[in-house]
Amino acid sequence: MLVLLPPSEGKAPSGRGAPLKPESLSLPGLAGARAAVLDELVELCAADEEKARQVLGLSEGLRGEVAKNAELRTAGTRTAGEIYTGVLYDALGLATLDPAARRRATASLLVFSGLWGAVRVNDRIPSYRCSMGIKLPGIGALGAHWRTAMEPALPEAAGDGMVLDLRSAAYATAWKPTAGLAGRTATVRVLHARVDPATGTEKRSVVSHFNKATKGRLVRDLLTSGARPKTPAELVETVRDLGYTVEPKPPTGGRTDRPWSLDVVVREIH
């Protein structure tokens, strides 16, 4: 099973490892698209700090991120699993997984990125700032830029397994499953269910922070369990066995060329 994750907005500092080696990154079919983004981002940030800050949508307090981008080719690196921080990654807790689960994480997790397209958690990258939602002056919208390169690369990475898509909306613009792979893809929405004391009826809502934490815990539980569901229907049963409340929404009409949608319903926020 291939699990697609969004990156974190905040990131750990670049490490003390050797500088970036683009040829070492996973999904080599993305190399050309990566080089184009890296070249323009470094040039932009090295040449005009104020313009770069505006393009990247950074506040005055984040001006230092521009200088960080200008040094991407020479900065030290860490594994992507160490670079990405935040709520989802805290709940996932890659560093505390047992050895078998960590091997599964290396094989199955794919983190989408405005700069790299997508990387495995063991790929070594520097810290950077480049969200999928920006438009670089030369390349344009990054979501559109990545779609052409992703079209063959993602099915190859998925093979004949299923895809669990946990990306946020901005990163979903970079790739959408088509044909047979769509029928082996499931997206997840986390809903907080609570009883309205005034009416006694249950109300459901999406809470951003809680949504990310639950997705991180779900991925951790899947990795720890060693389960290998091959279809969305099998995934539903697996997630239920792990103690989650899941409401599946298969494609209407029994179609096999559309993704499944899964609602994970949680009543306690933590």
Side-chain angles (χ1 to χ4, degrees):
M1 181 172 67
L2 190 66
V3 182
L4 309 184
L5 298 176
S8 58
E9 194 69 21
K11 299 172 183 68
S14 295
R16 296 182 178 180
L20 175 69
K21 296 179 180 178
E23 69 279 4
S24 72
L25 299 180
S26 302
L27 280 66
L30 302 181
R34 284 174 179 147
V37 180
L38 180 63
D39 288 347
E40 182 169 354
L41 184 64
V42 170
E43 181 178 349
L44 171 69
C45 292
D48 190 330
E49 182 180 272
E50 187 57 32
K51 180 179 178 181
R53 189 172 69 84
Q54 293 174 4
V55 169
L56 297 174
L58 301 176
S59 65
E60 180 65 34
L62 293 174
R63 184 179 289 273
E65 298 290 282
V66 175
K68 183 167 69 174
N69 281 349
E71 298 174 352
L72 283 171
R73 290 195 180 91
T74 57
T77 57
R78 299 176 186 263
T79 64
E82 295 170 317
I83 286 289
Y84 296 118
T85 59
V87 176
L88 188 154
Y89 292 91
D90 285 346
L92 172 54
L94 286 169
T96 60
L97 290 172
D98 63 66
R102 293 184 74 171
R103 287 193 295 271
R104 296 183 198 110
T106 298
S108 63
L109 303 187
L110 202 59
V111 185
F112 269 59
S113 162
L115 174 53
W116 314 115
V119 291
R120 303 277 188 184
V121 293
N122 63 330
D123 285 336
R124 298 194 68 89
I125 57 174
S127 187
Y128 67 96
R129 192 72 172 224
C130 182
S131 67
M132 189 67 78
I134 70 169
K135 293 182 179 180
L136 291 175
I139 288 175
L142 289 182
H145 170 75
W146 284 112
R147 278 197 292 273
T148 300
M150 290 283 189
E151 188 172 345
L154 263 292
E156 181 179 349
D160 59 0
M162 72 158 292
V163 175
L164 175 57
D165 188 353
L166 302 179
R167 296 173 298 164
S168 54
Y171 291 88
T173 64
W175 178 75
K176 294 182 180 179
T178 57
L181 185 53
R184 291 185 277 124
T185 298
T187 62
V188 171
R189 180 176 63 164
V190 179
L191 297 178
H192 176 215
R194 58 185 179 83
V195 176
D196 186 331
T199 63
T201 59
E202 184 177 83
K203 293 187 175 182
R204 295 178 175 183
S205 59
V206 177
V207 183
S208 178
H209 180 283
F210 183 53
N211 169 61
K212 294 175 183 177
T214 301
K215 287 180 177 178
R217 284 192 288 269
L218 173 61
V219 173
R220 182 183 179 89
D221 288 343
L222 287 168
L223 293 171
T224 302
S225 73
R228 296 182 178 181
K230 296 184 181 299
T231 66
E234 289 183 14
L235 176 65
V236 171
E237 295 307 312
T238 297
V239 173
R240 284 175 174 163
D241 289 344
L242 290 171
Y244 292 85
T245 299
V246 186
E247 297 177 355
K249 297 180 180 179
T252 57
R255 298 187 62 168
T256 60
D257 60 346
R258 294 283 190 276
W260 284 48
S261 298
L262 309 182
D263 282 347
V264 175
V265 183
V266 188
R267 290 174 171 80
E268 294 182 5
I269 294 181
H270 59 92

